[in-house]
Amino acid sequence: MYRILFSLFLVLGLASNIFAQSNAKPSVILEYFDDESQIVILDIDGYQIQDIYLGMPLIAGKIQTKGTTAELRIQPNGTIIKLARNTQFQINNLPNANSQVNDFTVLAGKIRTVAAKASGNSYRFNTPTAVCGVRGTDFGLEVLNGIERLLVQSGVVEFAKKTGETLRLGAGQGADARAQSFIAAALTTQELSDFFGPLSFNALDPSQVPQDQTVTLASTTTSTTIVAANSNVVDTNPVDTSGGAENEAKSSASAPSAADSELLKALKKALGLEIGSITIDGDTYGKLIVTPKIDTPDFKMGFYLPVIYQNDLFDIGNWYKPNGNNEWSFGTDQGEDVLLIIGDVLTDLVLKIKFLQLYEAGDPFFIGLGSLEAMTLGHGFLIGEYANDLDFPSIRRVGLNIGFDVGGFALEALTNDLARPEIFGLRMLVRPAHPDFNFGIGLSAALDINPASSLPAIYQTQKDAQPMFFNYGVDFDLPVFKDDSFGLLIYADVGGLIPIVANRYTTTGGTIIEPGFVASQVVGLVDGELRWLNWGFAGGIKGKILILDYKLEFQTYNGNFIANFYGNAYDRVRGQRAQDVLASLDNTSFFAQQRSGIYGELGVNLFDVVYLKGGYKWPWLMLPDGFDISNPDEFLIEVNLNKEMIPYGIDVGLQIKRSYFKELFIQPEKYMFLDAYTTFSGTVDVPLGDFFSIRATVGTALKKDSEGNIVVDTNGIPQVAPTFTLETVF
């Protein structure tokens, strides 16, 4: 009797256990990570979960791996997933009463999945532009730097783009949904090893993933379908495909060889050629430019090897010489002076570097070198989006932007041109309570040692004084929160301008200014009161809300100082700034005016297809009887299309940034749209094949006379002319 009862309880216990497992609430179990400080888990509302532990069940939310890998197991079905370092993986849905699909998104990075093959299991892995329906296969997904690549280690995969193109990939094949040539490429043993090797599991065992008894992992014929978003072909419940081995063989036979495919990819990625025409200083030149480049996730380098000519490609004598320098002479035109020869060789070599980038601002270390379209120090109070390539290629500079951030301390430095440095910037940031509290205090300085260099000879008196600008600033920085969907930074900056004259200068009012810092421009009497002069303040918030980037900033400033002193178009107006500073040395009434304004900026990413950005500021003067709104305003608009997301890969970009915007309508006789106060550039690139496209570019460039000097009007404002380039790009 006891034996019968014992056997009955045993059977009931086993049955209840099996029933409990079969009815276990679906979840994703965090089975492995090697560094808790390098993994971030956000709940479904975007809040960070503080207590992370092995065996932790997750229902929905986002996992971010930084300096660690992670391994996940889906229960109760047993599918396992490996997340590489620097990967963002989102759990969208687990089976419930409304849906039986395990739904995930790979936002960035690399993953490997070994999916359980059993009745009723259905999985969907999303990328920014594709959907992967899975049942019983071993595959990898990579979403990185414009690549959305699928690699199949076992099984058969149907890969479909939204344009209707469909591929069937067998074991040992791969394809990229964003490549111009959508082909099934055979993967070499080395390629498979390079991808799947680092994604080997540490804690989980792929051989333990449940499979149908008649199908092993290595020889499974289950079909996996990956379909681009908005496609008419979406299969989230693929079925077994008979003759899998035969299909794989046919697919492999029809695919180009791995060597040919990789060679074409390498050539497209590493080598460019531009043939066409270009307008510089009002003259039209032909051009033949070779642009080799190196492009990796952490390191990028581009070279610029130009032959820009007027009449004869093979006549070196009529090749364009930037700033009068024959960049292909390498010292042979410098006589016998060894120092001149060495200097010319170095200059010519440096000019061949278009850009060099190692990591990015915000990383523990970064460096940018070359033609840099946007250099910003801190929040941009002193130097904000300064461009040293505004008049490229008529004026070519090799700038430097370098820095490091070790958490509690950060340092950043920049200069406009290594060959002829004139503009410098430095910022130190201290976070005294890091890592518990990321409040930071920054000290900044900027210097322009020769802003009058762009003035023509008629301003020789001002040029002889050689005025300089020394800017200083203190800032406060408080990141409230930051992730891929939401961000908020509260900040404030205060600082100013101290003029310097290198040589003795007599003002128009007869005041003699001795060489050195002009202390009277820092503190002075204004209407009988002692005041701080040439100073400013800016404070506000900026961040991100889902698809929106925002910035809202209050500014107030006095005298010759303005917020964002070294802005995008600074190189074009620095000569006028030098005149204004010298003219105000004996004009104390100028400092009685305090200008204030609110700058607003908003950017929106629409479906990863188009990015729109706009900004505006209209400062005003506080007067005893009201406001004076005659101050120059600022206007910004940017439009960029994602060529990977629009038909035929057409690339379109437009940027317009202008001061004195309202004056175009108030004083049209004095201001024109294409003048020194406008930076304007637009590009349309239309691919005509796998290896070449037609590109049209419009913009503006400074006018120069026959001797290479910048042409200015009677007010010392540089004159600009429209430019147009039409070229074939290989």
Side-chain angles (χ1 to χ4, degrees):
M1 184 66 178
Y2 290 108
R3 291 182 180 179
I4 295 174
L5 290 174
F6 177 77
S7 300
L8 181 60
F9 282 124
L10 179 61
V11 170
L12 290 174
L14 290 173
S16 63
N17 184 53
I18 294 172
F19 178 81
Q21 290 184 6
S22 64
N23 288 276
K25 186 176 181 180
S27 61
V28 175
I29 307 300
L30 180 61
E31 297 283 12
Y32 174 82
F33 57 83
D34 51 24
D35 187 345
E36 181 180 347
S37 67
Q38 294 297 309
I39 186 170
V40 176
I41 299 180
L42 308 176
D43 64 18
I44 192 172
D45 297 316
Y47 293 102
Q48 183 172 346
I49 299 174
Q50 299 299 325
D51 296 325
I52 301 173
Y53 56 91
L54 294 178
M56 178 179 183
L58 305 170
I59 305 301
K62 184 186 297 182
I63 304 171
Q64 301 177 6
T65 61
K66 297 179 180 179
T68 184
T69 62
E71 296 177 17
L72 311 173
R73 177 176 55 84
I74 305 175
Q75 76 168 13
N77 57 57
T79 290
I80 61 176
I81 304 170
K82 174 85 171 192
L83 308 185
R85 286 177 171 82
N86 300 312
T87 292
Q88 298 180 34
F89 182 79
Q90 184 165 298
I91 305 169
N92 303 319
N93 179 73
L94 295 175
N96 53 55
N98 299 317
S99 172
Q100 294 303 309
V101 177
N102 298 270
D103 191 90
F104 310 101
T105 298
V106 183
L107 299 167
K110 299 179 182 180
I111 73 163
R112 176 190 176 188
T113 300
V114 181
K117 184 178 186 295
S119 177
N121 286 340
S122 181
Y123 314 88
R124 183 164 56 233
F125 289 80
N126 305 279
T127 68
T129 64
V131 178
C132 172
V134 181
R135 184 179 293 171
T137 190
D138 186 353
F139 70 96
L141 278 173
E142 178 179 23
V143 180
L144 188 66
N145 293 333
I147 295 173
E148 290 185 25
R149 189 166 61 134
L150 168 73
L151 300 90
V152 182
Q153 185 156 246
S154 68
V156 177
V157 176
E158 288 185 1
F159 200 15
K161 293 178 63 175
K162 65 181 179 181
T163 55
E165 300 170 79
T166 304
L167 298 173
R168 171 163 290 186
L169 307 181
Q173 290 189 313
D176 184 355
R178 290 199 173 192
Q180 289 186 354
S181 298
F182 188 53
I183 58 175
L187 302 172
T188 65
T189 303
Q190 186 62 47
E191 287 177 303
L192 288 169
S193 176
D194 288 344
F195 185 88
F196 287 97
L199 292 175
S200 297
F201 288 88
N202 295 83
L204 300 174
D205 185 356
S207 67
Q208 299 300 312
V209 175
Q211 301 292 317
D212 282 354
Q213 294 180 356
T214 58
V215 182
T216 64
L217 182 62
S219 62
T220 178
T221 59
T222 297
S223 174
T224 300
T225 305
I226 297 181
V227 185
N230 302 322
S231 171
N232 293 324
V233 184
V234 178
D235 180 10
T236 59
N237 289 284
V239 297
D240 287 354
T241 306
S242 61
E246 180 182 353
N247 289 333
E248 290 183 27
K250 290 180 180 179
S251 180
S252 298
S254 63
S257 71
D260 290 343
S261 177
E262 289 306 311
L263 177 61
L264 294 179
K265 288 182 181 179
L267 285 174
K268 290 178 67 174
K269 189 173 182 180
L271 188 62
L273 177 66
E274 301 174 8
I275 301 174
S277 64
I278 185 171
T279 302
I280 302 176
D281 303 338
D283 296 322
T284 300
Y285 295 82
K287 71 173 185 176
L288 174 63
I289 301 173
V290 181
T291 57
K293 62 181 179 181
I294 302 169
D295 190 353
T296 69
D298 295 328
F299 177 76
K300 296 176 175 61
M301 186 173 186
F303 299 90
Y304 188 81
L305 312 178
V307 175
I308 301 176
Y309 58 95
Q310 275 194 311
N311 302 311
D312 186 355
L313 171 65
F314 302 100
D315 182 5
I316 299 178
N318 70 22
W319 287 5
Y320 175 70
K321 302 176 179 61
N323 288 332
N325 172 54
N326 179 3
E327 64 176 293
W328 291 103
S329 67
F330 296 104
T332 58
D333 58 351
Q334 300 299 315
E336 298 181 358
D337 190 315
V338 175
L339 292 179
L340 289 178
I341 293 173
I342 294 175
D344 188 65
V345 169
L346 294 176
T347 298
D348 292 347
L349 286 174
V350 168
L351 284 175
K352 303 304 179 289
I353 301 175
K354 176 68 181 297
F355 65 86
L356 181 153
Q357 179 181 320
L358 178 62
Y359 301 109
E360 297 180 349
D363 288 336
F365 172 78
F366 75 93
I367 182 171
L369 184 73
S371 297
L372 305 175
E373 61 182 20
M375 288 191 281
T376 297
L377 207 63
H379 313 126
F381 182 64
L382 299 184
I383 302 177
E385 296 189 358
Y386 167 75
N388 75 337
D389 67 342
L390 201 58
D391 295 294
F392 182 90
S394 59
I395 299 177
R396 293 190 16 222
R397 300 186 178 96
V398 181
L400 175 67
N401 191 189
I402 188 171
F404 66 86
D405 189 338
V406 294
F409 179 76
L411 182 68
E412 182 177 358
L414 60 84
T415 184
N416 67 323
D417 189 5
L418 290 176
R420 190 180 298 174
E422 291 186 341
I423 299 172
F424 306 86
L426 179 69
R427 179 178 184 247
M428 295 182 293
L429 178 68
V430 178
R431 303 182 183 98
H434 180 82
D436 298 323
F437 189 54
N438 280 328
F439 174 75
I441 302 174
L443 298 175
S444 300
L447 177 68
D448 184 349
I449 62 173
N450 198 9
S453 60
S454 60
L455 293 173
I458 59 173
Y459 296 96
Q460 196 59 47
T461 300
Q462 289 89 336
K463 291 170 71 74
D464 289 343
Q466 195 177 340
M468 304 180 192
F469 300 150
F470 175 75
N471 301 83
Y472 58 93
V474 179
D475 65 84
F476 306 93
D477 184 291
L478 178 59
V480 179
F481 53 85
K482 180 180 179 182
D483 60 35
D484 293 328
S485 300
F486 298 94
L488 173 62
L489 174 71
I490 302 174
Y491 64 93
D493 293 77
V494 63
L497 164 69
I498 304 177
I500 305 170
V501 292
N503 302 303
R504 196 180 201 200
Y505 177 70
T506 302
T507 68
T508 54
T511 302
I512 297 177
I513 307 297
E514 298 294 340
F517 287 90
V518 185
S520 61
Q521 295 284 292
V522 181
V523 178
L525 291 174
V526 178
D527 297 334
E529 296 182 4
L530 190 65
R531 293 190 183 180
W532 183 14
L533 311 178
N534 283 319
W535 70 277
F537 167 83
I541 58 174
K542 61 181 178 180
K544 182 176 184 178
I545 303 176
L546 299 176
I547 63 172
L548 299 178
D549 300 315
Y550 64 89
K551 180 177 182 179
L552 189 64
E553 179 178 286
F554 171 75
Q555 301 175 355
T556 183
Y557 38 91
N558 170 274
N560 290 298
F561 179 80
I562 61 172
N564 190 215
F565 190 88
Y566 300 87
N568 182 258
Y570 176 75
D571 280 335
R572 295 185 177 180
V573 299
R574 59 198 291 234
Q576 182 191 12
R577 294 262 181 94
Q579 292 185 72
D580 292 342
V581 168
L582 292 175
S584 65
L585 294 181
D586 55 3
N587 181 17
T588 56
S589 62
F590 173 70
F591 297 100
Q593 301 177 348
Q594 186 74 26
R595 291 161 289 172
S596 302
I598 296 175
Y599 176 71
E601 185 176 285
L602 187 66
V604 57
N605 184 355
L606 299 176
F607 312 108
D608 279 336
V609 175
V610 60
Y611 183 77
L612 303 174
K613 182 178 178 180
Y616 189 72
K617 178 180 73 172
W618 188 344
W620 63 85
L621 291 178
M622 297 291 294
L623 300 176
D625 56 350
F627 298 99
D628 180 353
I629 59 175
S630 63
N631 279 271
D633 58 349
E634 294 182 8
F635 171 80
L636 165 70
I637 186 170
E638 289 184 19
V639 180
N640 289 287
L641 296 185
N642 183 354
K643 65 180 181 180
E644 305 290 349
M645 297 291 292
I646 60 177
Y648 310 109
I650 298 174
D651 190 10
V652 178
L654 173 69
Q655 183 187 78
I656 302 171
K657 192 170 186 178
R658 177 175 176 85
S659 299
Y660 295 91
F661 177 70
K662 68 180 188 301
E663 274 69 22
L664 291 174
F665 310 98
I666 299 175
Q667 303 181 64
E669 71 284 353
K670 182 178 179 181
Y671 296 92
M672 298 184 300
F673 176 69
L674 295 180
D675 59 19
Y677 299 109
T678 296
T679 59
F680 169 73
S681 63
T683 301
V684 177
D685 194 309
V686 182
L688 299 180
D690 289 341
F691 290 96
F692 72 100
S693 62
I694 298 296
R695 179 190 298 163
T697 304
V698 295
T700 59
L702 293 172
K703 288 184 178 180
K704 294 184 181 179
D705 59 24
S706 58
E707 298 181 357
N709 298 313
I710 297 174
V711 177
V712 300
D713 62 14
T714 55
N715 297 315
I717 301 174
Q719 299 295 284
V720 298
T723 63
F724 177 76
T725 300
L726 183 64
E727 59 192 349
T728 302
V729 181
F730 292 88

